[in-house]
Amino acid sequence: MSSSSSNVIGFAYRQDQFQQIVEDVLARAKALGASDAGAEVSEGVGLSVSVRMGELENVERNRDKSLGVSVYLGQRRGNASTSDFSPAALQQTVQAAYDIARFTAEDPVAGLPDGDDLATPAEVARDLQLFHPWAVDAAEAAALAQRCEAAAFAVSRRIANSEGAGVSAQQSHFWAGNSRGFRGGYASSRHYLSVSPIAGKGRAMQRDAWYTSMRDATEMASPEAVGRYAAERALSRLQSRRVPTGQVPVLFENTAAAGLLGAYVQATSGGSLYRKASFLVDSLGRQVLPEHVDVTEDPHVLKGKGSAPFDDEGVRTRARTVVQGGVVQGYFLSSYSARKLGMKTTGHAGGSQNLFMTSRRTRPGDDLPAMLKKLGRGLFVTELMGQGVNYVTGDYSRGAAGFWVEDGEIAYPVHEITIAGNLPEMFKGITAIGADVYNSGSKSIGSVLIERMQIAGA
């Protein structure tokens, strides 16, 4: 189904109604004397169902709607929002944004994106196949969650408890416009199925979880496959030990490696850069990753979780090389952060879009067993806890769990350990990236082997 189609069962508003609301709001802002204005109206609808131990636990339906308005008086900006779409409320919201702008200090870089950066009507109309509504009711969703949890229990008698399983079906649509001629919007969907089984009993209990998430529910993994894999992960953690403190090679499972790519994005995003709150300030053109590592971005992947024809400001999105041969080629900038840095927007108001971190050394056979062989003796990390990243200094310290590896084979599970390092050194210490690519939202990456990190255990 087309990502621009929103006149379907499930939404209370049609796209043409949203278009009229935006036109009315922009006209009202102009009538008040605004030099510029922008508006976005949106609606989200969803169903979430959870079960535990085979019994229905929760059914939640959500329906949200919102209008956000930005009014500019020269370089003074005001924002206001409402969930009431009545004509009186819309008028009051524009007036509120106008009044805030009147009494806000001037900001020399405030303003809408430049006209030549805005997506054209043809670019706005690009169909990225982001909208796949899932006509699942509460009973059907509960049955799927129960099948998933039951599959986990069926793997072993040692799986006798569960934190539950859940199904969520979400869809939304929006329309945005501004006084510089941009108009655009589309519908999108995101669905998931997850389960968290518990293995063992008492103090020896271990939990793990797995999920599947897609824009199109027909492309999700089966409930049985998710349940079995989650159970196998939980069972593999039984009889976990601590490990001695020391410096060893560390292999991040692909699910955990996505966080490393996320840390890179955070450090090269406009807000961090212009506030000087990043260890990668002034890194453009510098070598920050090994020569064998590239990072690319493609915002136009069909059904991609990070796909978008334009960013949150209406700026066109483009495929690009973010890092080439380890050298930084571009940042992640909105119009505002770009002006603060004396640069041009990269179309990233709202974040990154379908990033891929790859190594030129990777071969098709570099699956997880092959990556464990490359690790040799060291730590294989499957779970990270805590938020111990200092983006100013790059210092990195996280709680972790996973497996100790000897001679390229998993020896035993480990828990209650800390891994520590410094992100600039960790990035340069990437020796391999696996072919076992995992997609986590807008980021895709295989398992990542780092030459050396500090681990603290017993």
Side-chain angles (χ1 to χ4, degrees):
M1 183 174 292
S2 167
S3 62
S4 63
S5 173
S6 60
N7 302 327
V8 298
I9 295 173
F11 292 133
Y13 292 85
R14 302 185 309 273
Q15 190 180 83
D16 63 304
Q17 291 175 302
F18 275 4
Q19 291 171 339
Q20 189 60 56
I21 288 172
V22 168
E23 297 306 321
D24 292 345
V25 164
L26 294 178
R28 178 60 184 167
K30 182 178 180 181
L32 287 173
S35 56
D36 262 322
E40 180 178 315
V41 60
S42 62
E43 177 187 15
V45 181
L47 168 70
S48 298
V49 175
S50 63
V51 303
R52 182 175 178 275
M53 304 301 289
E55 299 295 327
L56 180 65
E57 221 178 31
N58 186 60
V59 176
E60 179 181 331
R61 298 183 185 277
N62 60 284
R63 182 178 294 277
D64 309 295
K65 58 189 177 78
S66 177
L67 167 74
V69 183
S70 295
V71 168
Y72 295 88
L73 297 176
Q75 290 180 307
R76 299 196 304 270
R77 179 190 183 199
N79 291 89
S81 62
T82 182
S83 58
D84 184 348
F85 292 173
S86 68
L90 298 180
Q91 185 168 330
Q92 290 168 4
T93 303
V94 178
Q95 185 70 52
Y98 176 82
D99 290 340
I100 292 169
R102 287 173 56 208
F103 298 105
T104 297
E106 287 196 358
D107 184 337
V109 299
L112 294 173
D114 297 335
D116 57 358
D117 291 324
L118 294 170
T120 65
E123 290 166 332
V124 165
R126 182 194 291 264
D127 182 11
L128 300 179
Q129 299 178 22
L130 306 182
F131 187 50
H132 301 270
W134 187 12
V136 62
D137 62 26
E140 293 167 334
L144 289 170
Q146 287 166 336
R147 283 169 53 192
C148 187
E149 190 182 48
F153 286 138
V155 170
S156 169
R157 292 181 179 178
R158 291 177 294 171
I159 303 286
N161 202 349
S162 165
E163 291 184 354
V167 168
S168 178
Q170 302 290 328
Q171 61 188 59
S172 62
H173 69 127
F174 76 97
W175 189 260
N178 65 37
S179 54
R180 297 194 176 178
F182 171 76
R183 300 291 186 276
Y186 51 87
S188 62
S189 57
R190 182 72 66 86
H191 316 298
Y192 79 81
L193 165 68
S194 65
V195 65
S196 299
I198 298 172
K201 295 181 179 181
R203 295 177 60 86
M205 286 193 307
Q206 292 287 343
R207 65 163 292 281
D208 212 312
W210 198 248
Y211 74 97
T212 178
S213 177
M214 290 289 177
R215 292 195 180 275
D216 185 345
T218 65
E219 296 178 354
M220 295 198 303
S222 72
E224 289 75 18
V226 173
R228 285 193 298 269
Y229 188 56
E232 289 165 1
R233 290 178 69 93
L235 289 166
S236 70
R237 297 175 64 159
L238 289 174
Q239 298 180 318
S240 290
R241 314 180 201 173
R242 295 184 181 181
V243 290
T245 295
Q247 289 193 345
V248 299
V250 174
L251 177 65
F252 286 80
E253 186 182 30
N254 49 22
T255 56
L260 296 175
L261 183 51
Y264 175 83
V265 173
Q266 173 73 21
T268 52
S269 290
S272 298
L273 295 171
Y274 76 72
R275 294 186 186 98
K276 306 293 185 183
S278 169
F279 62 92
L280 288 179
V281 168
D282 298 325
S283 58
L284 198 63
R286 276 175 37 206
Q287 184 98 31
V288 302
L289 293 166
E291 292 183 359
H292 63 91
V293 175
D294 300 312
V295 180
T296 57
E297 184 175 36
D298 184 356
H300 303 146
V301 175
L302 298 183
K303 298 184 180 181
K305 296 174 191 172
S307 294
F310 50 86
D311 75 359
D312 288 358
E313 297 180 304
V315 172
R316 67 175 57 86
T317 55
R318 293 188 174 97
R320 63 175 187 153
T321 299
V322 179
V323 175
Q324 185 172 37
V327 177
V328 178
Q329 305 295 312
Y331 297 145
F332 297 86
L333 307 178
S334 65
S335 295
Y336 184 88
S337 62
R339 290 172 186 145
K340 292 285 280 188
L341 293 166
M343 305 176 77
K344 290 278 288 180
T345 176
T346 58
H348 289 92
S352 61
Q353 305 132 1
N354 297 327
L355 288 174
F356 304 85
M357 180 181 273
T358 57
S359 169
R360 301 177 187 183
R361 297 175 178 173
T362 303
R363 298 294 178 261
D366 286 340
D367 55 10
L368 181 57
M371 292 297 287
L372 291 170
K373 293 292 184 186
K374 292 183 181 184
L375 172 64
R377 180 180 184 273
L379 182 66
F380 174 40
V381 173
T382 60
E383 183 180 16
L384 294 165
M385 288 82 78
Q387 304 295 323
V389 182
N390 185 323
Y391 284 99
V392 178
T393 63
D395 289 341
Y396 181 99
S397 179
R398 305 282 302 275
F403 300 88
W404 185 253
V405 176
E406 292 280 359
D407 297 323
E409 300 285 343
I410 288 176
Y412 53 83
V414 298
H415 69 163
E416 295 182 3
I417 59 173
T418 300
I419 60 172
N422 182 265
L423 281 169
E425 296 173 4
M426 290 166 61
F427 285 158
K428 289 181 179 178
I430 294 174
T431 60
I433 299 177
D436 54 335
V437 177
Y438 176 80
N439 171 257
S440 177
S442 63
K443 300 170 184 65
S444 296
I445 188 170
S447 51
V448 171
L449 178 58
I450 293 179
E451 188 172 29
R452 193 160 297 274
M453 291 184 69
Q454 181 73 31
I455 66 171

